[in-house]
């Protein structure tokens, strides 16, 4: 069945190389980064141990969190934090439990999964961590807020895009990103049997709500995405279409994917 805005596709786990063989991938696997792939919020990791001024110590109750982090990074730049310092911080963030095991599983079945990452973190930090962990080649594409270093050596951050979704922060709607990616892959005549979404946060609930009956949402157990799905199911039984598989370890995700493959074999 062709699915455009809601249909998900997967290439091989080799960076920018497409499929490993002639048979297209069966599944599109989507990851969040903070508190999903890695076991911390990377923004908190960057600020940890720094004497931030009072105005920057708490996340803003109103306004753009992306703009708040722009101010935090500017302050850190003024304090002399440079590229090597930031890279070391991101590289040291631990993977979430079981993620190494999950990616070992995916590496053995790379012809069946196309893997992408959609995160409200930043491109510099994500790339640094994935390369340090040896996982960069697993992802066909990374969608995140653009980040780089200016002439002063300050790490600068921008918004990913603009959108009209009232649920999501103004700099990023993951549902829109996913829909656009699916439309792009549909134009490439790539068809996915299932979309599989692994996340934790409130901003992962929005794209997960667009998944269909054949798809699977993997919310981290006890985190906002999981609570929002539970609330949606209580308010409207059957209103959340996808199968829901809460996880505490990446191994939980791997076991469910193994079961999917077993059913297909």
């Amino acid at each position: 069945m062709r699915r455009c805005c809601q249909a998900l596709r997967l290439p091989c786990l080799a960076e920018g190389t497409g499929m490993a063989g002639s048979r297209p991938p069966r599944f599109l696997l989507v990851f969040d980064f903070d508190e999903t792939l890695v076991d911390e919020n990377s923004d908190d990791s960057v600020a940890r141990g720094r004497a931030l001024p009072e105005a920057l110590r708490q996340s803003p109750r109103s306004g753009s969190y992306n703009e708040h982090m722009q101010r935090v990074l500017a302050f850190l730049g003024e304090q002399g934090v440079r590229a090597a310092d930031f890279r070391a911080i991101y590289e040291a963030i631990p993977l979430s439990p079981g993620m190494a095991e999950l990616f070992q599983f995916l590496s053995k079945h790379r012809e069946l999964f196309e893997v992408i990452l959609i995160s409200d973190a930043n491109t510099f930090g994500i790339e640094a961590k994935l390369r340090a962990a040896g996982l960069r080649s697993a992802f066909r594409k990374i969608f995140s807020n653009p980040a780089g270093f200016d002439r002063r050596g300050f790490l600068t951050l921008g918004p990913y895009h603009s959108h009209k979704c009232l649920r999501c922060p103004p700099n990023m709607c993951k549902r829109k990103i996913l829909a656009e990616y699916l439309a792009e892959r549909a134009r490439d005549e790539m068809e996915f049997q299932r979309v599989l979404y692994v996340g934790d946060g409130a901003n992962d609930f929005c794209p997960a709500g667009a998944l269909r009956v054949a798809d699977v949402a993997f919310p981290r157990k006890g985190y906002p995405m999981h609570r929002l799905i539970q609330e949606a199911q209580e308010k409207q039984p059957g209103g959340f279409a996808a199968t829901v598989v809460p996880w505490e370890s990446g191994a939980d995700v791997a076991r469910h994917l193994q079961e999917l493959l077993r059913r297909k074999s």
Side-chain angles (χ1 to χ4, degrees):
M1 176 176 63
R2 180 179 294 277
R3 298 160 56 182
C4 182
C5 283
Q6 308 293 75
L8 299 174
R9 285 292 176 89
L10 303 176
C12 118
L13 300 186
E15 180 178 357
T17 59
M19 296 177 294
S22 58
R23 185 172 63 176
R26 296 179 180 180
F27 306 111
L28 179 65
L29 181 57
V30 185
F31 280 91
D32 173 47
F33 183 70
D34 288 331
E35 297 185 298
T36 295
L37 186 61
V38 296
D39 206 23
E40 296 179 1
N41 181 317
S42 58
D43 291 338
D44 293 341
S45 304
V46 165
R48 185 178 298 122
R50 311 285 179 182
L52 298 179
E54 182 64 32
L56 298 179
R57 285 181 194 165
Q58 302 295 330
S59 299
R61 294 185 179 181
S62 61
S64 167
Y65 180 80
N66 182 265
E67 292 176 354
H68 167 75
M69 279 308 300
Q70 291 174 28
R71 293 189 289 271
V72 170
L73 294 176
F75 174 80
L76 295 178
E78 291 168 357
Q79 301 305 302
V81 183
R82 294 295 182 265
D85 305 307
F86 281 112
R87 183 174 289 106
I89 292 168
Y90 287 115
E91 290 178 350
I93 298 173
L95 294 173
S96 290
M99 282 297 160
E101 181 178 340
L102 172 55
F103 278 87
Q104 289 171 1
F105 168 83
L106 292 173
S107 71
K108 295 176 182 177
H109 301 280
R110 61 179 62 221
E111 76 282 2
L112 301 179
F113 294 92
E114 181 167 303
V115 187
I116 64 173
L117 188 149
I118 307 176
S119 168
D120 197 13
N122 70 78
T123 54
F124 174 83
I126 292 170
E127 291 277 355
K129 179 58 192 178
L130 293 183
R131 293 185 188 283
L135 298 179
R136 179 59 185 91
S137 63
F139 293 88
R140 181 178 187 269
K141 198 153 186 181
I142 292 171
F143 301 91
S144 190
N145 300 303
F149 293 89
D150 64 16
R151 289 186 222 174
R152 302 168 297 172
F154 289 19
L155 180 59
T156 62
L157 177 68
Y160 179 78
H161 63 184
S162 61
H163 60 84
K164 297 180 180 179
C165 177
L166 298 179
R167 176 183 292 276
C168 292
N171 64 295
M172 176 173 285
C173 174
K174 294 185 177 185
R175 183 172 186 158
K176 179 180 180 182
I177 293 171
L178 183 56
E180 290 174 349
Y181 185 79
L182 292 174
E184 173 192 326
R185 299 305 280 146
R187 289 192 293 270
D188 295 335
E189 298 187 350
M190 284 291 294
E191 295 183 14
F192 299 105
Q193 293 181 9
R194 300 177 194 270
V195 175
L196 315 163
Y197 193 105
V198 187
D200 74 285
N203 61 355
D204 296 310
F205 175 73
C206 184
L211 300 179
R212 296 188 177 182
V213 173
D215 302 328
V216 183
F218 293 95
R220 192 168 187 177
K221 193 171 183 179
Y223 281 68
M225 178 187 179
H226 187 205
R227 292 194 294 269
L228 288 168
I229 290 174
Q230 290 176 317
E231 290 172 7
Q233 291 173 322
E234 290 171 2
K235 289 179 181 177
Q236 184 181 353
F240 191 88
T243 297
V244 180
V245 181
W247 65 276
E248 294 181 288
S249 165
D252 301 330
V253 179
R255 280 192 290 271
H256 190 83
L257 298 184
Q258 182 65 68
E259 181 59 30
L260 286 180
L261 298 186
R262 209 175 279 124
R263 288 184 225 154
K264 291 291 182 180
S265 60

